[in-house]
Amino acid sequence: MRLQFSLIDGVQYADKLRGDGRLAYQLWQDQYHGLYVQILHNNDQLNAKPLGTFSCLLFPVADYWLQRDTPISFPYGVCLETKMVKKSINNNDGAFLRAILLTFSDAMVIKYAPYRISQYF
């Protein structure tokens, strides 16, 4: 399965779970109307030092939506360049993804396809 992606919105922001700062992210959609999150910046504020690294993977919301209230460790995502599913090797990705998911509403998420890419690997 080769996924194709289109950008849904411009840059959006979510407060970090711990410490000061916020995360900048974008939302993407695949050809099956699945929703994905891409982290763009950590600690996105004027004169702030970026803290903590993250990967550039697109994380499937359907796979992690029900885990938003619990820690997420090394999530799977799709590499935008290769379109391949990969497991994150960055220990910050799970917490950053969770911080973003906590800003979403059920009404917003339900507009997108509920299928999970994890069912394909």
Side-chain angles (χ1 to χ4, degrees):
M1 169 169 96
R2 188 129 175 114
L3 295 171
Q4 301 296 318
F5 295 95
S6 57
L7 188 60
I8 296 175
D9 270 328
V11 177
Q12 299 181 50
Y13 300 93
D15 290 334
K16 292 170 63 171
L17 294 176
R18 294 182 197 196
D20 296 328
R22 62 184 185 165
L23 303 163
Y25 67 93
Q26 288 181 314
L27 298 177
W28 294 79
Q29 177 176 290
D30 66 20
Q31 72 266 37
Y32 306 108
H33 304 288
L35 180 63
Y36 296 78
V37 169
Q38 182 184 32
I39 303 164
L40 300 174
H41 302 286
N42 176 15
N43 214 19
D44 193 59
Q45 300 182 114
L46 289 176
N47 303 319
K49 293 180 183 177
L51 304 171
T53 59
F54 55 90
S55 69
C56 61
L57 299 175
L58 302 184
F59 297 106
V61 171
D63 282 75
Y64 297 104
W65 180 241
L66 296 178
Q67 297 177 43
R68 67 190 180 276
D69 293 323
T70 60
I72 299 171
S73 297
F74 301 101
Y76 285 90
V78 179
C79 175
L80 192 55
E81 185 177 312
T82 65
K83 309 295 191 280
M84 300 296 293
V85 175
K86 299 171 121 183
K87 184 175 182 179
S88 167
I89 58 170
N90 190 301
N91 65 338
N92 293 320
D93 283 342
F96 290 173
L97 174 60
R98 185 170 167 235
I100 294 166
L101 291 176
L102 288 170
T103 68
F104 295 172
S105 68
D106 285 327
M108 188 273 270
V109 172
I110 203 163
K111 293 189 290 188
Y112 296 92
Y115 79 88
R116 298 169 15 145
I117 65 167
S118 60
Q119 69 190 359
Y120 297 106
F121 54 87

